[in-house]
Amino acid sequence: MARKFRANKAGINSLMKTPEVGAEVRRVAQSIAEVAGSGEGLFKVDSALGRRRWRSAVIGNYDFPTSGGLAGSRTDLLRGLNGAHE
């Protein structure tokens, strides 16, 4: 007889708010920012504890004069997304 798996949601939610998880979320985002910024442009990381878990964002190069306008910003954004997969 197979048993149904039931996740301990309260336990998972409390784990997702620990400082260790926050540090790992920031570390991964920083790694993405470094790969994305290995070409031109400046990429920054913003992290915060949300209502249910840690969140982090890589903020891309939005300096239009140096990035080549909207097309350059799109290229920078795609480079940042590709950095997440390296």
Side-chain angles (χ1 to χ4, degrees):
M1 172 183 256
R3 291 186 177 187
K4 185 175 180 178
F5 173 79
R6 287 200 176 137
N8 178 349
K9 290 182 183 181
I12 292 169
N13 286 340
S14 67
L15 175 67
M16 295 305 290
K17 294 180 180 184
T18 65
E20 294 83 8
V21 169
E24 181 64 10
V25 168
R26 283 190 299 275
R27 185 195 67 74
V28 169
Q30 187 62 43
S31 176
I32 292 168
E34 288 171 9
V35 171
S38 63
E40 289 184 24
L42 176 65
F43 291 78
K44 298 180 182 180
V45 174
D46 180 36
S47 299
L49 177 61
R51 198 184 87 178
R52 300 172 82 186
R53 65 186 173 274
W54 281 98
R55 294 185 174 131
S56 197
V58 177
I59 301 168
N61 182 23
Y62 293 106
D63 185 10
F64 286 136
T66 62
S67 71
L70 291 175
S73 287
R74 182 178 187 280
T75 300
D76 292 339
L77 174 62
L78 293 174
R79 188 172 67 230
L81 292 172
N82 286 337
H85 298 288
E86 291 186 6

